[in-house]
Amino acid sequence: MSSRRDVLKAIGAPALAGALPVRFVETEPKVSRMPAEGKDTPKICLGFWGPVDETGMRRVKQIGVDYVLTGGPKIPWSEADVRTRIEQFKAGGLTLCNMMISGFDDVIWGRPGADAQTADVITSIRAAGRARLPVAEYNFYANRLMEGYKEETGRAGAGYTAYDYELSRNLPPKDGVGPHTRAEQLERARRFLKAVVPEAEKANVRLALHPNDPPVPLSRGSEQLMATIEHWKEYLSLVESPFNGMTFDCGVTREMGEDPVAVCRYLGERDRINHVHFRNVVVRQPYVDYTEVFLDDGQVDLFGVMRELVRQKYPRAIYPEHPRALDVDRERGSIRNQYPGGGGFAGEIYNVGYTRAMLQAALTL
């Protein structure tokens, strides 16, 4: 009888010899990169508020951000105004994706100069279109009740931004502004949009209205135009067009007690999201009492929002805003932030890293 060793010699060695190359091919690791932003994905951006210099642009590029937004010049814009800003950022490898347009308070407050300012906005949108700026963001506040913001101490002493309506609810109307009803503001918005949106369509410049933030019921005697989801829907119905869109703000949505994922789905499926603000909050009482916290530590399902944006193939900017105040920023000197408890560039680095992880995770599903 042949030994076991003899059998292996006779049949095993040739079989193994034939199998080995196949095994090595099958188990060889694939070399790949992490998912990246593309044509049909959200584009992480940061606000650029200081001088457009090489140092500032370089530090944004170092953390993987290729898109920026900024405030616009005084209206009416010229093509040269817009193109100069675009080219300044392009020289640093950055794309200007959004510019804030303002300076039409007569429209918002119903003053005699409203028609002239509407014409200036139209001129500006045409200029933006010729320069190929994709989005113009704007506000339509009768008054923004900033006086209710206060600083809170967050984890390990980090700065948080809280809002308490009781600090400001009884403030009187400002001189020269007066009180305004929502019905008055809605009619002004209707006239404004009917004049401006067709021009935005022709210029291929999407308009992104930021909702009321804070979304309190009354702001120095004025009712709010965009303080509830039903208000948002009504505003968007004034002119049915993707160019009459919104800045979808996850934080504001939750501050109103709404589900940001569901609202993102509603707006996105109607192609009305023209910009995104990505932040988190803890709400104690909707509309009037809440705290802005780190992205990882609030009541907004930010991964759910990101998955929804990726599912929709949302292709425009997403801004991880309102960084928290960290010691590393405090130690570098005074933090320039309009919100008490707001942070600087170290806080923005944290926000970008978290947002990038959410985006890459969503892109792998």
Side-chain angles (χ1 to χ4, degrees), residues 32-38 40-44 63-66 278 302-311 318 351-365:
S32 62
R33 302 286 294 270
M34 295 297 292
E37 294 171 359
D40 294 323
T41 74
K43 316 292 192 297
I44 297 173
I63 60 174
V65 174
D66 296 321
F278 202 64
L302 287 177
F303 185 51
V305 170
M306 187 65 81
R307 282 190 305 178
E308 183 60 33
L309 292 170
V310 167
R311 184 191 71 81
I318 181 168
N351 280 0
V352 168
Y354 184 94
T355 306
R356 177 77 61 197
M358 294 292 100
L359 176 58
Q360 290 184 329
L363 289 171
T364 63
L365 295 179

Side-chain angles (χ1 to χ4, degrees), residues 140-221:
F140 212 97
Y141 294 116
N143 181 77
R144 187 179 182 194
L145 201 63
M146 296 280 288
E147 294 87 346
Y149 286 112
K150 63 181 181 179
E151 181 170 359
E152 281 187 2
T153 300
R155 65 189 185 202
Y160 287 0
T161 302
Y163 192 84
D164 182 355
Y165 186 39
E166 293 305 315
L167 296 176
S168 52
R169 67 180 303 164
N170 294 320
L171 292 175
K174 289 183 177 179
D175 292 341
V177 176
H180 301 268
T181 68
R182 183 169 183 275
E184 290 170 341
Q185 294 173 69
L186 193 65
E187 182 54 35
R188 294 164 193 163
R190 187 194 313 276
R191 292 197 298 269
F192 177 73
L193 292 174
K194 285 188 178 298
V196 169
V197 172
E199 298 295 336
E201 291 175 337
K202 288 185 282 189
N204 197 31
V205 177
R206 289 192 175 226
L207 304 177
L209 173 69
H210 196 290
N212 289 130
D213 181 22
V216 294
L218 201 65
S219 178
R220 284 187 174 268

Side-chain angles (χ1 to χ4, degrees), residues 62-63 109 148 154 159 207 274 276:
Q62 283 181 342
I63 60 174
W109 295 335
L207 304 177
N274 290 341
V276 175

Side-chain angles (χ1 to χ4, degrees), residues 70-78 80-82 85 99-103 124:
T70 189
K74 182 180 178 180
I75 59 172
W77 299 349
S78 70
D81 288 333
V82 183
R85 283 163 171 77
M99 232 167 38
M100 178 68 72
I101 188 167
S102 59
S124 302

Side-chain angles (χ1 to χ4, degrees), residues 54-73:
E54 183 178 353
T55 300
M57 293 190 289
R58 179 182 169 90
R59 72 177 191 173
V60 169
K61 289 286 291 184
Q62 283 181 342
I63 60 174
V65 174
D66 296 321
Y67 297 84
V68 292
L69 57 83
T70 189

